[in-house]
């Protein structure tokens, strides 16, 4: 083996979040899930965001930095996922995530129905014009 190659002698230390993480659940008692924090992540997903969502994420990163909590965007996303999933586990259909998705599904269904109705009316008018 060449000199300087091989196993690193660098010691892996926990990040600040792991060192300062409370040992007990949060004040609401439902904080069972934890974000993975600063460690090597072997699983990956790709999430596409709108320009506005990405800007909001960057604003959140900068706000956290002003509060003395430096975090990259991936860390913020992992923390947000952990919080939302803990709430879903604790509150089920009354959780923030379930309620927001249900509202979005209802809005999408209404928009889809309106589009279908408009297309149906348009097809009926087209049929009447052909007959007339």
């Amino acid at each position: 083996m060449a000199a300087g190659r091989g196993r690193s002698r660098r010691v892996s230390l926990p990040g600040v979040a792991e060192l300062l993480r409370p040992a007990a659940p949060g004040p609401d008692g439902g904080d069972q899930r934890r974000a993975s924090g600063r460690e090597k992540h072997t699983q990956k997903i790709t999430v596409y965001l709108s320009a506005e969502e990405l800007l909001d994420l960057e604003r959140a990163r900068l706000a956290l930095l002003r509060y003395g909590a430096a975090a990259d965007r991936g860390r913020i996303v992992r923390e947000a996922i952990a919080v939302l999933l803990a709430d879903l586990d604790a509150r089920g259909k009354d959780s923030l995530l379930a309620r927001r998705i249900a509202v979005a599904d209802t809005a999408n269904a209404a928009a889809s129905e309106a589009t279908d109705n408009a297309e149906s009316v348009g097809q009926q008018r087209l049929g009447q014009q052909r007959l007339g």
Side-chain angles (χ1 to χ4, degrees):
M1 205 176 267
R5 301 218 184 244
R7 296 187 76 184
S8 172
R9 292 185 182 193
R10 188 173 176 181
V11 176
S12 178
L13 298 173
V16 172
E18 287 75 23
L19 292 173
L20 300 177
R21 178 180 289 164
D28 63 355
D31 194 13
Q32 300 276 332
R33 286 185 184 263
R34 298 278 183 210
S36 55
R38 295 184 62 181
E39 63 184 48
K40 182 176 179 173
H41 298 94
T42 58
Q43 305 300 311
K44 178 181 175 181
I45 65 168
T46 300
V47 177
Y48 291 91
L49 302 174
S50 68
E52 184 178 343
E53 290 167 332
L54 187 58
L55 189 57
D56 287 343
L57 183 57
E58 187 60 21
R59 285 183 182 134
R61 187 187 71 77
L62 294 172
L64 288 167
L65 190 59
R66 284 192 306 271
Y67 305 146
D72 60 33
R73 293 182 299 200
R75 173 82 185 281
I76 295 168
V77 169
R78 287 188 300 275
E79 290 288 347
I81 289 170
V83 168
L84 287 171
L85 294 180
D87 183 48
L88 181 63
D89 286 346
R91 299 177 58 207
K93 69 178 184 176
D94 294 327
S95 67
L96 179 62
L97 182 61
R99 288 183 289 134
R100 287 182 61 112
I101 288 177
V103 167
D105 286 349
T106 301
N108 288 339
S112 178
E113 185 177 329
T115 301
D116 291 346
N117 289 341
E119 288 174 1
S120 178
V121 168
Q123 289 173 354
Q124 288 173 356
R125 288 184 183 159
L126 183 61
Q128 290 171 353
Q129 289 174 352
R130 288 182 182 160
L131 292 175

